Amino acid sequence: MQFLSTIWIFIQDQILGMKWLSSLIGKFLYAIGLDTSGKIGGSVQFFIYDVIKIVFLLCVLIFIISYIQSFFPPERTKKILGRFHGIGANIIAALLGTVTPFCSCSSIPLFIGFTSAGLPLGVTFSFLISSPMVDLGSLVLLMSIFGAKVAVIYVVLGLVIAVAGGTLIEKLHLENQVEEFIRNAKQIDIPQEELAVKDRIKYAWEQVVETFKKVFPYILVGVGIGAFIHNWIPEDIIVRFLGTGNPFGVIIATIVGVPMYADIFGCIPIAEALLAKGARLGVVLSFMMGVTTLSLPSMIMLKKAIKPKLLGLFIGICTVGIIIVGYAFNAFQYLLI
């Protein structure tokens, strides 16, 4: 058992966390005369290390997930979801959301397609909540920063929010809150040809390139913010606003995260820096969920598809769920990390 624990720690620190890279960069900066224990040197080390680590994980994860996703085009996904009913359909929709796009804005066109195809509204909302909030990429990235227990519980609770939110929306029968042009859209069934392995590899590589171009600027901004927090903002300020002493830290983090637009890759360095400075675990994860699920650009896009009442309910369900998850993680933080 001790041997397995040692192996896992090595995988988490040196393979997922790439701590060896941080040490290597630190030695290089020291060799050229930059003190990494100071604010400037520490910021440079944090920035270079996190950009390289996140870009590498980004490319590997997107390739793997896109290869998996090639088996679930919209038409096939619609047919899979159509076989299930009740809460089982919500669960399947939430799980399918884990192998789809990385940010809320890219999930909304799929949501619109599923809704116009006649799938139950609650099922499509379970997908919409799950897709940006929890994916296979977030699981691996969270493991590299917070450990396996936190990552798995984060994903499980995210799926619970997606299933519960979709089920509630289904029970309220709000189909009339979807815009007319979506409800009346005509669907054309196009047979989905089986792709060869080389075609799936080509598709996965194209997704890597496309996603990298789209998210790389946000990675740079996120890492830059993380480096600033990590090395320039005094720890007592972070603790005062987001630490144990502030019972409203989770709510503040959720509200602050909503206007931002980033995916999990842009959030990770900020979350990492906040946690290192003394922010509570639940506060950090609530911030991440708020950014990835309720970003302002995605809400503007969603407003074109659904009416204000349903949009408000969606935002309310996600916000309450995120806050509950945040306080739950705060309560059990010392058992998790």
Side-chain angles (χ1 to χ4, degrees), residues 69-92:
Q69 189 183 339
S70 70
F71 291 92
F72 298 97
E75 185 62 29
R76 180 171 293 175
T77 303
K78 184 187 77 174
K79 289 179 180 178
I80 292 172
L81 292 175
R83 296 173 189 160
F84 297 88
H85 304 281
I87 195 169
N90 294 93
I91 294 172
I92 297 299

Side-chain angles (χ1 to χ4, degrees), residues 1 21-22 29 58 75 82 99 101 104 184 186 206 214 221 223 229 231 273 286 298 302 315 334:
M1 194 69 180
L21 177 63
S22 180
L29 294 176
L58 168 81
E75 185 62 29
V99 292
S104 49
N184 297 331
K186 294 182 179 179
E206 289 173 349
K214 183 171 64 174
V221 172
V223 175
I229 293 171
N231 293 281
S286 293
S298 67
L302 191 57
I315 293 172
Y334 297 109

Side-chain angles (χ1 to χ4, degrees), residues 195-305:
L195 297 175
V197 172
K198 65 177 183 179
D199 295 322
R200 298 189 191 280
I201 291 174
K202 181 183 177 183
Y203 168 78
W205 176 247
E206 289 173 349
Q207 292 301 302
V208 169
V209 174
E210 181 182 340
T211 306
F212 175 80
K213 289 178 179 178
K214 183 171 64 174
V215 306
F216 185 64
Y218 298 105
I219 292 175
L220 294 179
V221 172
V223 175
I225 294 171
F228 178 75
I229 293 171
H230 192 271
N231 293 281
W232 295 88
I233 296 183
E235 188 171 314
D236 62 313
I237 293 179
I238 300 293
V239 172
R240 188 186 314 157
F241 287 100
L242 302 176
T244 308
N246 187 353
F248 301 106
V250 168
I251 298 173
I252 292 172
T254 304
I255 293 172
V256 168
V258 168
M260 299 180 65
Y261 172 55
D263 54 22
I264 192 75
F265 298 99
C267 291
I268 282 288
I270 302 174
E272 183 181 9
L274 288 172
L275 190 67
K277 279 290 185 175
R280 300 297 304 279
L281 178 61
V283 171
V284 170
L285 296 180
S286 293
F287 168 78
M288 289 173 56
M289 283 185 165
V291 171
T292 55
T293 310
L294 295 173
S295 67
L296 191 58
S298 67
M299 294 303 100
I300 293 172
M301 287 179 63
L302 191 57
K303 188 177 182 298
K304 303 293 184 181

Side-chain angles (χ1 to χ4, degrees), residues 308-335:
K309 181 179 178 180
L310 182 53
L311 179 63
L313 180 63
F314 169 72
I315 293 172
I317 289 171
C318 290
T319 302
V320 171
I322 289 169
I323 289 172
I324 291 172
V325 168
Y327 280 115
F329 269 106
N330 276 355
F332 297 103
Q333 175 169 344
Y334 297 109
L335 297 176

